[in-house]
Amino acid sequence: MKQLHKSSPTHAPSSAHAPAPKAAKLARPGPRSWIGYVLREQRLLFVLLGALIASTFFLLRPYLSLSPSYHLPDARPLFSFAARSGVPAGFRPPPRRVVVTGGAGFVGSHLVDRLLEQGVSVIVVDNFFTGRKENVAHHLRNPRFELLRHDVVEPILLEVDRIYHLACPASPVHYKYNPIKTIISFTSGSHRLILLTLKETCSDPIVLFSFCIFGGIGVRSCYDEGKRTAETLTMDYHRGGGVEVRIARIFNTYGPRMCLDDGRVVSNFVAQALRRQPMTVYGDGKQTRSFQYVSDLVAGLMALMESDHIGPFNLGNPGEFTMLELAQVVKETIDPMATIEFKPNTADDPHMRKPDITKAKQLLHWEPKVSLKEGLPLMVKDFRQRISDE
């Protein structure tokens, strides 16, 4: 008997078991489509306009801050961790940060010593024209000390609480070397930019200029008139911009770390006597000077900065010495056999320098304490060591 085998009809697989169709790949937009997107509906115009507005704002912002309508004398930064109030609980504000221009120089380096002793963070800005790295080398490992090689004639932006401005050559040998740059160091645009930076970023901006004023149009006028103009600028920033300022007029100062050959009378006499050379007296030697030890000057600067008085204050020792009297003190200190050599006097040399410190005594309660006979041996010790290393 034949068995009939019916072939089973071929059935399409059920939809439950059918493999899912592969998703079609989306085509990425090519360069042309992106360009078309940007160009449509004037999108490129709005992008360029936004960039122009932003650039204009940042370029004009420093100048807008000079206008009284954009700047209030008592304005403070919106966000400032240096503010005296409103510090978050548990947050310990960093120590006060100050910048000392010319901080590697003679006076500046002694000021840096005192500031660091008080726990302040110090930034020294110096181009080392008259300053020396050796003057501040003992602070290089201090985490609160920074040293920047920079010329204040060029702009610099620093976020600090206070500025001590001491960057200018003070001896005739140095300020006559480049008289134009000497006066610019007082009156350059960097002074304006530093002041604006302080006002924008700091809660307690104070600027200190240090100098004594004589005036004139002779060979030393680059120094004298530069200082006079700097005082004018400083007070204009105080009156017009609300910047808090202090002004000191520094008179003859001596002590360790002075330049060996800077042309000033005390350093000249000491270096010449130690080298067994004749001490050079210019003119008849009867012109008078006042000499204060550097620690007395630093104490006066600190008293000024902590006071509420602007100044100007004369900071100097009112005691008078003629050049011949000073030479005699140096001889007694270093070498009784030292000799004196007379030479013609230099141009524009003031015949008398005697500061009136009455105002400083009354308002700052300051006056110098170190006599010439006490301070001179300390300077001689420093000079003797440096000359022996030559």
Side-chain angles (χ1 to χ4, degrees), residues 23-219:
K25 294 184 178 180
L26 296 177
R28 294 183 178 179
R32 292 184 177 179
S33 60
W34 281 111
I35 295 174
Y37 174 79
V38 172
L39 294 179
R40 286 196 301 271
E41 300 180 9
Q42 298 182 333
R43 291 187 176 95
L44 180 60
L45 177 62
F46 286 107
V47 171
L48 295 177
L49 182 60
L52 178 61
I53 294 174
S55 301
T56 304
F57 173 78
F58 284 107
L59 288 174
L60 294 180
R61 187 169 179 266
Y63 302 97
L64 292 176
S65 62
L66 284 173
S67 173
S69 61
Y70 289 88
H71 184 74
L72 297 176
D74 296 329
R76 290 293 183 261
L78 182 59
F79 301 102
S80 173
F81 289 107
R84 296 180 180 178
S85 61
V87 177
F91 177 79
R92 184 178 181 182
R96 180 180 293 274
R97 299 180 73 225
V98 306
V99 60
V100 181
T101 66
F106 162 48
V107 174
S109 63
H110 286 278
L111 177 61
V112 169
D113 291 347
R114 182 69 63 86
L115 291 169
L116 289 172
E117 288 174 3
Q118 294 186 342
V120 176
S121 290
V122 178
I123 302 174
V124 166
V125 177
D126 205 301
N127 67 350
F128 302 109
F129 176 54
T130 60
R132 301 183 306 125
K133 289 183 180 179
E134 291 81 359
N135 290 343
V136 292
H138 54 293
H139 296 308
L140 292 178
R141 294 184 179 274
N142 190 329
R144 289 185 286 105
F145 175 79
E146 297 178 59
L147 177 61
L148 301 179
R149 187 186 191 100
H150 182 84
D151 194 326
V152 296
V153 172
E154 302 298 329
I156 184 171
L157 301 179
L158 297 171
E159 191 169 341
V160 295
D161 299 295
R162 183 173 292 182
I163 283 182
Y164 294 80
H165 181 50
L166 296 159
C168 182
S171 70
V173 171
H174 295 125
Y175 66 67
K176 291 179 183 178
Y177 176 77
N178 191 336
I180 294 177
K181 191 167 184 178
T182 295
I183 193 170
I184 289 176
S185 68
F186 281 113
T187 60
S188 66
S190 65
H191 168 51
R192 176 179 61 82
L193 291 175
I194 288 177
L195 290 177
L196 290 175
T197 302
L198 276 173
K199 195 60 183 175
E200 291 295 326
T201 62
C202 298
S203 61
D204 185 26
I206 296 179
V207 179
L208 170 67
F209 279 87
S210 303
F211 30 68
C212 50
I213 299 293
F214 295 105
I217 58 172
V219 293

